[in-house]
């Protein structure tokens, strides 16, 4: 039973950078992919970025491509999201998710993920 805990959120100014983390713990970790989703007040949860755990193939939403970088440290089972040139529209609760499927799924889809963290707040001021 894998548990995910996000950290690193905070309040920053537009143009600043921030790195958030997601630590996986619990039973033996085995995941096809891990991803980041975000949800702003009044909006639906949206895909941000994903990475396949073993190979490291990455996927990004168009809105963050070129600004955000997803990565993982397999030795400590931790997922990261480096966010550069942050914009006010990036303000949201960011959620970490893990896909424990034994067969490949679609990393961009929220329905592909079985385990979710509690979220970490990222606020970008003008």
């Amino acid at each position: 039973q894998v548990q995910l805990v996000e950290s690193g959120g905070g309040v920053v100014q537009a143009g600043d950078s921030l790195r958030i983390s997601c630590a996986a713990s619990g039973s033996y970790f085995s995941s096809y992919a891990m991803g980041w989703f975000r949800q702003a007040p009044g909006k639906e949860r949206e895909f941000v970025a994903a990475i396949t755990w073993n190979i490291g193939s990455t996927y990004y939403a168009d809105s963050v491509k070129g600004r955000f970088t997803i990565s993982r440290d397999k030795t400590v089972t931790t997922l990261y999201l480096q966010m550069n040139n942050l914009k006010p529209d990036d303000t949201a609760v960011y959620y970490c998710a893990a896909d424990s499927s034994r067969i490949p799924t679609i990393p961009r889809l929220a329905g592909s993920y079985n385990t979710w963290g509690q979220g970490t707040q990222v606020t970008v001021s003008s």
Side-chain angles (χ1 to χ4, degrees):
Q1 189 69 31
V2 176
Q3 295 176 317
L4 305 176
V5 179
E6 301 96 333
S7 63
V11 180
V12 298
Q13 294 181 327
D16 209 344
S17 298
L18 195 66
R19 188 179 78 161
I20 55 177
S21 303
C22 172
S25 62
S27 60
Y28 177 76
F29 183 76
S30 181
S31 179
Y32 169 69
M34 294 189 70
W36 290 99
F37 291 76
R38 67 187 182 187
Q39 187 167 22
K43 295 185 178 181
E44 295 183 343
R45 187 170 299 186
E46 65 174 351
F47 169 78
V48 177
I51 186 169
T52 60
W53 193 253
N54 289 327
I55 298 176
S57 300
T58 57
Y59 307 81
Y60 295 96
D62 289 341
S63 60
V64 306
K65 194 174 299 182
R67 298 188 298 120
F68 291 10
T69 302
I70 189 171
S71 62
R72 87 291 196 212
D73 188 335
K74 297 169 71 175
T75 63
V76 293
T77 58
T78 299
L79 182 73
Y80 303 98
L81 185 66
Q82 177 66 47
M83 301 179 287
N84 297 329
N85 192 25
L86 283 161
K87 304 175 180 179
D89 285 347
D90 295 319
T91 296
V93 176
Y94 283 71
Y95 297 92
C96 173
D99 173 14
S100 60
S101 300
R102 295 184 179 183
I103 58 175
T105 55
I106 304 175
R108 294 178 180 270
L109 300 181
S112 297
Y113 300 89
N114 303 312
T115 305
W116 295 79
Q118 85 291 339
T120 185
Q121 177 71 47
V122 174
T123 302
V124 185
S125 62
S126 301

